[in-house]
Amino acid sequence: MSIWTRIADAIAALARGEPLSVVFDRLRDSGTPEQSVGFTIAVLALGAKMAKADGTVTRDEVTAFRRIFTFPEGEETHAAHVFNLARQDVAGFDAYARKIARLFNPEARRICADDHHVLVDILEALFQIATADGSYHDGEDAFLTDVANTFGLDEACFRIVRSRLVEGAPRDPYDVLGLPRGATKDEARKAWKALVRDTHPDVMQSRGVPPEAMKLAERRMQLINEAWREISAKEAA
Protein backbone atom coordinates (compact mmCIF):
# COMPACT_ATOMS: atom_id res chain seq x y z
CA MET A 1 0.00 0.00 0.00
CA SER A 2 1.51 3.34 -1.03
CA ILE A 3 2.09 6.18 1.40
CA TRP A 4 -0.57 8.19 -0.46
CA THR A 5 -3.23 5.54 0.12
CA ARG A 6 -2.31 5.38 3.82
CA ILE A 7 -2.56 9.18 4.04
CA ALA A 8 -5.97 9.10 2.37
CA ASP A 9 -7.07 6.57 4.99
CA ALA A 10 -5.76 8.76 7.83
CA ILE A 11 -7.64 11.78 6.50
CA ALA A 12 -10.81 9.75 5.96
CA ALA A 13 -10.72 8.80 9.65
CA LEU A 14 -11.12 12.44 10.68
CA ALA A 15 -14.57 13.29 11.97
CA ARG A 16 -16.48 16.02 10.19
CA GLY A 17 -15.04 19.40 11.08
CA GLU A 18 -11.84 18.02 12.67
CA PRO A 19 -8.66 19.77 11.49
CA LEU A 20 -5.78 18.01 9.77
CA SER A 21 -3.56 18.61 12.80
CA VAL A 22 -5.58 15.99 14.71
CA VAL A 23 -3.85 13.34 12.59
CA PHE A 24 -0.58 13.95 14.45
CA ASP A 25 -2.28 13.42 17.82
CA ARG A 26 -3.79 10.14 16.64
CA LEU A 27 -0.52 8.90 15.23
CA ARG A 28 1.24 9.72 18.51
CA ASP A 29 -1.46 8.13 20.68
CA SER A 30 -1.85 4.99 18.59
CA GLY A 31 0.97 3.20 20.42
CA THR A 32 2.54 2.21 17.09
CA PRO A 33 2.68 5.53 15.24
CA GLU A 34 2.85 5.35 11.48
CA GLN A 35 6.04 7.39 11.19
CA SER A 36 6.13 7.58 7.39
CA VAL A 37 2.57 8.95 7.28
CA GLY A 38 3.53 11.48 9.94
CA PHE A 39 6.64 12.52 8.00
CA THR A 40 4.75 13.00 4.74
CA ILE A 41 1.86 14.95 6.23
CA ALA A 42 4.34 17.06 8.22
CA VAL A 43 6.20 18.12 5.06
CA LEU A 44 3.01 18.78 3.11
CA ALA A 45 1.27 20.64 5.95
CA LEU A 46 4.20 22.83 6.98
CA GLY A 47 5.01 23.37 3.31
CA ALA A 48 1.47 24.69 2.82
CA LYS A 49 1.84 27.00 5.80
CA MET A 50 5.23 28.21 4.56
CA ALA A 51 4.01 28.82 1.01
CA LYS A 52 2.66 32.17 2.14
CA ALA A 53 5.68 33.09 4.23
CA ASP A 54 7.02 35.27 1.42
CA GLY A 55 3.58 36.74 0.71
CA THR A 56 2.77 34.64 -2.35
CA VAL A 57 1.98 31.06 -3.31
CA THR A 58 3.75 30.25 -6.55
CA ARG A 59 3.33 27.31 -8.88
CA ASP A 60 6.99 26.50 -8.26
CA GLU A 61 6.40 26.16 -4.53
CA VAL A 62 3.37 23.93 -5.01
CA THR A 63 5.11 21.66 -7.51
CA ALA A 64 8.28 21.62 -5.38
CA PHE A 65 6.90 18.59 -3.61
CA ARG A 66 7.97 16.64 -6.68
CA ARG A 67 11.57 17.43 -5.71
CA ILE A 68 11.00 15.35 -2.59
CA PHE A 69 8.23 12.83 -3.29
CA THR A 70 7.42 10.44 -6.09
CA PHE A 71 3.79 10.36 -7.20
CA PRO A 72 2.33 7.41 -9.08
CA GLU A 73 -0.21 8.47 -11.69
CA GLY A 74 -3.35 9.77 -10.04
CA GLU A 75 -1.85 10.04 -6.54
CA GLU A 76 -1.15 13.79 -6.72
CA THR A 77 -4.71 14.41 -5.57
CA HIS A 78 -3.94 12.99 -2.11
CA ALA A 79 -0.98 15.35 -1.67
CA ALA A 80 -3.02 18.28 -2.96
CA HIS A 81 -5.80 17.42 -0.49
CA VAL A 82 -3.37 17.53 2.46
CA PHE A 83 -1.90 20.80 1.19
CA ASN A 84 -5.33 22.41 0.92
CA LEU A 85 -6.54 21.10 4.28
CA ALA A 86 -3.47 22.61 5.95
CA ARG A 87 -3.97 25.95 4.22
CA GLN A 88 -7.61 26.02 5.33
CA ASP A 89 -6.83 25.05 8.93
CA VAL A 90 -7.04 28.03 11.28
CA ALA A 91 -4.22 26.58 13.39
CA GLY A 92 -0.92 28.35 12.82
CA PHE A 93 2.26 26.65 11.70
CA ASP A 94 3.55 26.68 15.28
CA ALA A 95 0.71 24.39 16.38
CA TYR A 96 1.63 21.95 13.61
CA ALA A 97 5.32 22.15 14.46
CA ARG A 98 4.68 21.40 18.14
CA LYS A 99 2.56 18.34 17.30
CA ILE A 100 5.19 17.09 14.85
CA ALA A 101 7.94 17.60 17.43
CA ARG A 102 5.98 15.59 20.01
CA LEU A 103 5.37 12.81 17.48
CA PHE A 104 9.02 12.36 16.52
CA ASN A 105 10.75 13.62 19.67
CA PRO A 106 8.51 12.64 22.60
CA GLU A 107 11.29 13.19 25.15
CA ALA A 108 11.65 16.81 23.97
CA ARG A 109 15.44 16.54 23.91
CA ARG A 110 17.67 18.97 22.10
CA ILE A 111 18.84 17.72 18.71
CA CYS A 112 22.35 18.79 17.77
CA ALA A 113 24.17 19.10 14.48
CA ASP A 114 25.56 15.55 14.48
CA ASP A 115 22.29 13.86 15.52
CA HIS A 116 20.68 12.35 12.43
CA HIS A 117 16.98 12.53 13.12
CA VAL A 118 13.74 12.57 11.15
CA LEU A 119 13.07 16.16 12.28
CA VAL A 120 16.24 17.20 10.45
CA ASP A 121 14.94 15.35 7.38
CA ILE A 122 11.67 17.32 7.61
CA LEU A 123 13.57 20.61 7.92
CA GLU A 124 15.66 19.76 4.85
CA ALA A 125 12.52 19.00 2.87
CA LEU A 126 11.05 22.37 3.86
CA PHE A 127 14.21 24.14 2.73
CA GLN A 128 13.89 22.45 -0.66
CA ILE A 129 10.32 23.71 -0.93
CA ALA A 130 11.33 27.23 0.17
CA THR A 131 14.02 27.49 -2.50
CA ALA A 132 12.02 25.90 -5.31
CA ASP A 133 11.27 29.28 -6.90
CA GLY A 134 14.98 30.13 -7.08
CA SER A 135 14.97 32.55 -4.15
CA TYR A 136 14.97 32.49 -0.38
CA HIS A 137 13.06 35.25 1.37
CA ASP A 138 13.39 36.76 4.84
CA GLY A 139 9.89 35.54 5.65
CA GLU A 140 10.85 31.98 4.76
CA ASP A 141 14.02 32.23 6.83
CA ALA A 142 12.03 33.45 9.84
CA PHE A 143 9.46 30.68 9.33
CA LEU A 144 12.09 27.95 9.15
CA THR A 145 14.00 29.38 12.10
CA ASP A 146 10.85 29.17 14.20
CA VAL A 147 10.12 25.63 13.00
CA ALA A 148 13.68 24.53 13.84
CA ASN A 149 13.41 26.05 17.32
CA THR A 150 10.09 24.32 17.93
CA PHE A 151 11.58 21.03 16.75
CA GLY A 152 14.40 21.46 19.29
CA LEU A 153 17.10 21.72 16.62
CA ASP A 154 20.09 23.71 17.77
CA GLU A 155 21.49 26.75 15.97
CA ALA A 156 24.39 24.82 14.47
CA CYS A 157 22.01 22.25 13.00
CA PHE A 158 19.88 24.97 11.40
CA ARG A 159 22.96 26.71 9.98
CA ILE A 160 24.25 23.46 8.50
CA VAL A 161 20.96 22.61 6.78
CA ARG A 162 20.65 26.16 5.44
CA SER A 163 24.22 26.13 4.13
CA ARG A 164 23.51 22.90 2.27
CA LEU A 165 20.34 24.00 0.53
CA VAL A 166 20.25 27.79 0.12
CA GLU A 167 22.20 29.04 -2.88
CA GLY A 168 24.30 32.02 -1.89
CA ALA A 169 24.36 31.10 1.80
CA PRO A 170 27.85 30.62 3.20
CA ARG A 171 28.67 27.01 2.39
CA ASP A 172 31.78 25.98 4.24
CA PRO A 173 32.54 22.28 3.61
CA TYR A 174 33.16 21.80 7.33
CA ASP A 175 29.68 23.16 8.07
CA VAL A 176 28.16 20.77 5.56
CA LEU A 177 29.79 17.85 7.37
CA GLY A 178 28.89 19.29 10.79
CA LEU A 179 32.51 19.89 11.79
CA PRO A 180 34.43 22.76 13.42
CA ARG A 181 36.85 24.60 11.13
CA GLY A 182 39.90 23.07 12.80
CA ALA A 183 38.84 19.46 12.20
CA THR A 184 41.50 17.13 10.83
CA LYS A 185 41.23 15.22 7.59
CA ASP A 186 40.66 12.00 9.55
CA GLU A 187 37.82 13.63 11.47
CA ALA A 188 36.35 14.89 8.21
CA ARG A 189 36.56 11.42 6.69
CA LYS A 190 34.82 9.93 9.72
CA ALA A 191 32.04 12.56 9.59
CA TRP A 192 31.60 12.06 5.83
CA LYS A 193 31.30 8.27 6.21
CA ALA A 194 28.76 8.70 9.01
CA LEU A 195 26.65 11.03 6.86
CA VAL A 196 26.84 8.67 3.89
CA ARG A 197 25.68 5.83 6.13
CA ASP A 198 22.85 7.89 7.63
CA THR A 199 21.71 8.99 4.16
CA HIS A 200 21.33 5.40 2.96
CA PRO A 201 17.68 4.76 2.01
CA ASP A 202 17.35 1.82 4.43
CA VAL A 203 18.55 3.95 7.35
CA MET A 204 16.32 6.86 6.40
CA GLN A 205 13.30 4.57 6.10
CA SER A 206 14.05 3.12 9.54
CA ARG A 207 13.61 6.56 11.10
CA GLY A 208 10.35 7.30 9.30
CA VAL A 209 11.16 8.70 5.86
CA PRO A 210 8.94 6.85 3.34
CA PRO A 211 10.38 5.26 0.19
CA GLU A 212 8.38 7.82 -1.81
CA ALA A 213 10.58 10.58 -0.32
CA MET A 214 14.00 9.15 -1.14
CA LYS A 215 14.68 12.03 -3.53
CA LEU A 216 15.50 13.90 -0.34
CA ALA A 217 18.65 11.81 0.01
CA GLU A 218 19.97 12.66 -3.47
CA ARG A 219 20.68 16.35 -2.77
CA ARG A 220 22.17 15.59 0.65
CA MET A 221 24.47 12.92 -0.76
CA GLN A 222 25.63 15.25 -3.52
CA LEU A 223 26.51 17.99 -1.04
CA ILE A 224 28.29 15.85 1.51
CA ASN A 225 30.36 14.22 -1.24
CA GLU A 226 31.28 17.66 -2.61
CA ALA A 227 32.27 18.81 0.87
CA TRP A 228 34.49 15.78 1.41
CA ARG A 229 36.18 16.25 -1.98
CA GLU A 230 36.84 19.92 -1.20
CA ILE A 231 38.39 19.12 2.19
CA SER A 232 40.44 16.27 0.72
CA ALA A 233 41.78 18.50 -2.04
CA LYS A 234 42.64 21.25 0.44
CA GLU A 235 44.49 18.84 2.70
CA ALA A 236 46.39 17.36 -0.25
CA ALA A 237 47.53 20.76 -1.55
Side-chain angles (χ1 to χ4, degrees):
M1 184 185 298
S2 78
I3 188 67
W4 306 112
T5 301
R6 302 204 304 277
I7 285 174
D9 290 345
I11 292 173
L14 291 173
R16 184 176 179 84
E18 282 187 311
L20 177 67
S21 56
V22 169
V23 171
F24 297 113
D25 296 326
R26 292 187 176 163
L27 289 173
R28 188 185 74 245
D29 297 339
S30 66
T32 54
E34 172 55 277
Q35 300 281 60
S36 59
V37 169
F39 173 92
T40 306
I41 294 180
V43 173
L44 292 168
L46 284 176
K49 295 293 187 182
M50 184 177 61
K52 292 185 178 180
D54 60 359
T56 59
V57 179
T58 69
R59 184 177 180 84
D60 287 333
E61 286 172 322
V62 175
T63 59
F65 295 111
R66 285 193 172 278
R67 300 173 68 179
I68 302 163
F69 298 108
T70 56
F71 297 93
E73 187 175 355
E75 297 282 12
E76 298 97 328
T77 55
H78 295 316
H81 189 37
V82 173
F83 188 87
N84 287 327
L85 284 174
R87 284 204 299 171
Q88 294 162 12
D89 194 341
V90 296
F93 76 88
D94 51 338
Y96 276 85
R98 285 194 298 270
K99 289 175 181 288
I100 294 162
R102 287 196 295 268
L103 174 63
F104 291 107
N105 186 17
E107 298 176 0
R109 63 186 178 86
R110 293 293 291 178
I111 298 170
C112 60
D114 60 354
D115 186 5
H116 308 292
H117 194 282
V118 69
L119 291 173
V120 180
D121 298 325
I122 292 171
L123 185 65
E124 285 198 9
L126 293 173
F127 264 102
Q128 292 203 34
I129 293 166
T131 58
D133 61 356
S135 60
Y136 182 67
H137 301 277
D138 291 342
E140 291 165 329
D141 188 69
F143 178 97
L144 291 170
T145 298
D146 286 343
V147 168
N149 287 335
T150 303
F151 281 179
L153 306 181
D154 66 13
E155 183 179 350
C157 186
F158 180 81
R159 185 181 67 248
I160 289 166
V161 174
R162 182 172 58 186
S163 72
R164 288 175 182 167
L165 295 167
V166 177
E167 293 299 329
R171 185 174 293 160
D172 186 288
Y174 293 93
D175 265 352
V176 172
L177 296 183
L179 293 168
R181 302 296 189 278
T184 66
K185 184 176 180 179
D186 284 344
E187 290 170 332
R189 181 186 292 107
K190 183 178 179 181
W192 167 66
K193 286 184 176 180
L195 282 168
V196 169
R197 181 178 62 252
D198 286 303
T199 306
H200 189 280
D202 289 345
V203 176
M204 292 184 70
Q205 287 182 51
S206 72
R207 61 178 180 252
V209 181
E212 291 87 349
M214 282 304 120
K215 289 183 180 181
L216 185 63
E218 296 174 6
R219 177 63 171 159
R220 184 188 300 171
M221 189 68 78
Q222 175 190 349
L223 290 167
I224 61 180
N225 284 337
E226 287 175 357
W228 167 240
R229 283 195 295 269
E230 186 174 344
I231 291 172
S232 298
K234 185 186 302 183
E235 293 288 337

